[in-house]
Amino acid sequence: MTLSKVVVVGASAAGLTAAETLRREGYTGRLTLIGDERHPPYDRPPLSKQILKGDWEPERLALRPAEPLDGLDAEWLLGREAVGLDLTARAVELADGARVPFDGLVVATGVRPRRLPFGHDLAGVHVLRDLEDALALRDALSTAPSVVVVGAGFLGAEAAAVARGLGCRVTLVDPLSAPMVRQLGSEVAAGVAALHRAHGVELRCETGVVGFTEERGRVAGVRLDDGTEIAAQVVLVAIGSVPAVDWLRDSGLPVGDGLLCDEFCEAAPGVVAAGDVASWLHPDHGRLRVEHRMNATEQGMAAARTLLGLRQPFAPVPYFWTDQYDVKIQAYGRPSADADFRVVSGDPAEGPFAAVYGQDGRITAGLTWNMPREARTLRTQVMESAPWPHEAAPARG
């Protein structure tokens, strides 16, 4: 297929990287980037850390200076939301009624925050996905003595750490047994729980939220399913996210938990996806949808190359990290709660350590806690599906 009009919907890390890759690989036709935010592409991981703390101001988030963006020779439609796709006519439909024609399309619309079925109309109840969300929450934390974070996954645990560092009284609530247990397994999750408790966070695990109390339109407390209530001037709802695919539901494209793609990130001829919104067939792990920063960049490149006919299965080693207090946790592969687990370096009771996860006698993931150099070694072992270390019986995750 000869391309003359490529449209990228989603002007964040995945979309920008796709656009840059198209130009780098020799595409010279018309290039349009559509983004529902008014900001040029910016980095999202610092929103729950440096921005929320007040260590950074928004200008530091920019993924590129103005000059490289100008060098893309692209049309930027920022603050313009895509609301539909006419696959037959090959056009993206915008909220203002405009139609943007394409012969090649990159879908990189990311995710939107999952919300509770109640309470989001109250002042003081926040979600955290974009820059405006982060700035609003930062302002609220500056005057809030009591904060409840609903959801103890990556985002909730990071935001709880920041709020505690700002001097707030923080309660972290989650229906599971420990923070990040689904992502890290029980052993490491227990360490995350101990870390938060050591910094003064109250954990209410295995507990659900059933409602809020209010005073004059503002949240005043959080009601739990055990009958107790926690006073709160600020509530952050961090219960996960859903892929931003509503605009595609009547398009004829395969939509489920994301835009469903093959191993080349292709959803239909001339239509590819990248980043948080993409559900693709990983050659080793089956169908995946990965919400992590490095994947957005790598998949943006892979999707653009597929669009240009440079087809190669997208088979990265999944990678993620989280920063909480003075701890950096890094992981390669796909840690799981039901995998074998073993510490291979250091001691979790004393400080930094490295550990591996495994199944069927092979290493499937590696994790480090304040041991960044060891992380590189574990990545190689995960890539090679190295044999499980047999010097001792593995602990079960």
Side-chain angles (χ1 to χ4, degrees), residues 96-360:
D96 59 10
R99 290 169 62 90
V100 185
F102 67 87
D103 48 31
L105 176 66
V106 180
V107 176
T109 42
V111 294
R112 55 182 175 81
R114 192 183 302 276
R115 294 171 183 261
L116 292 168
F118 51 80
H120 287 277
D121 57 329
L122 296 176
V125 176
H126 296 257
V127 294
L128 178 53
R129 171 60 185 171
D130 61 27
L131 177 57
E132 275 70 30
D133 293 337
L135 294 176
L137 181 57
R138 183 170 81 179
D139 281 348
L141 293 178
S142 68
T143 58
S146 183
V147 177
V148 173
V149 179
V150 182
F154 281 92
L155 182 62
E158 290 180 354
V162 170
R164 187 70 194 110
L166 293 173
C168 302
R169 186 168 63 252
V170 179
T171 304
L172 185 56
V173 180
D174 196 277
L176 300 181
S177 60
M180 303 178 65
V181 66
R182 184 182 285 119
Q183 297 92 343
L184 303 178
S186 59
E187 286 89 348
V188 179
V192 175
L195 176 68
H196 279 275
R197 288 192 180 103
H199 283 83
V201 172
E202 180 183 357
L203 295 182
R204 300 294 297 272
C205 295
E206 299 182 303
T207 307
V209 173
V210 296
F212 298 145
T213 59
E214 64 173 286
E215 292 179 2
R216 299 178 182 178
R218 172 169 287 276
V219 68
V222 177
R223 292 190 287 114
L224 305 181
D225 61 8
D226 61 5
T228 61
E229 181 181 321
I230 307 168
Q233 290 75 44
V234 170
V235 174
L236 171 63
V237 178
I239 56 174
S241 55
V242 293
V245 293
D246 287 350
W247 67 287
L248 298 173
R249 294 206 181 275
D250 297 326
S251 68
L253 291 176
V255 173
D257 180 33
L259 179 56
L260 307 183
C261 303
D262 61 15
E263 66 271 32
F264 306 104
C265 307
E266 187 173 65
V271 179
V272 296
D276 298 357
V277 73
S279 172
W280 89 102
L281 287 173
H282 192 294
D284 299 322
H285 301 293
R287 184 160 295 282
L288 294 181
R289 189 176 66 82
V290 177
E291 295 183 25
H292 294 298
R293 175 66 176 79
M294 290 303 298
N295 184 76
T297 298
E298 294 175 352
Q299 198 164 26
M301 291 188 284
R305 289 173 179 143
T306 290
L307 204 57
L308 294 174
L310 307 173
R311 298 168 65 86
Q312 185 171 352
F314 182 55
V317 176
Y319 169 72
F320 64 83
W321 79 94
T322 179
D323 296 317
Q324 298 174 39
Y325 307 106
D326 57 351
V327 170
K328 178 180 284 289
I329 300 171
Q330 297 172 272
Y332 286 99
R334 292 183 61 76
S336 63
D338 61 351
D340 296 326
F341 177 86
R342 177 170 295 130
V343 174
V344 293
S345 181
D347 183 350
E350 306 229 345
F353 70 92
V356 292
Y357 300 76
Q359 291 180 330
D360 301 323

Side-chain angles (χ1 to χ4, degrees), residues 11-12 36-63 111 113 126-140 155 236:
S12 195
D36 59 359
E37 294 186 65
R38 57 185 175 81
H39 308 286
Y42 65 87
D43 211 10
R44 293 187 188 274
L47 294 178
S48 60
K49 297 180 274 286
Q50 292 92 341
I51 291 291
L52 201 55
K53 288 180 188 176
D55 290 347
W56 288 12
E57 290 306 316
E59 52 270 17
R60 286 195 62 178
L61 294 176
L63 285 171
V111 294
H126 296 257
V127 294
L128 178 53
R129 171 60 185 171
D130 61 27
L131 177 57
E132 275 70 30
D133 293 337
L135 294 176
L137 181 57
R138 183 170 81 179
D139 281 348
L155 182 62
L236 171 63

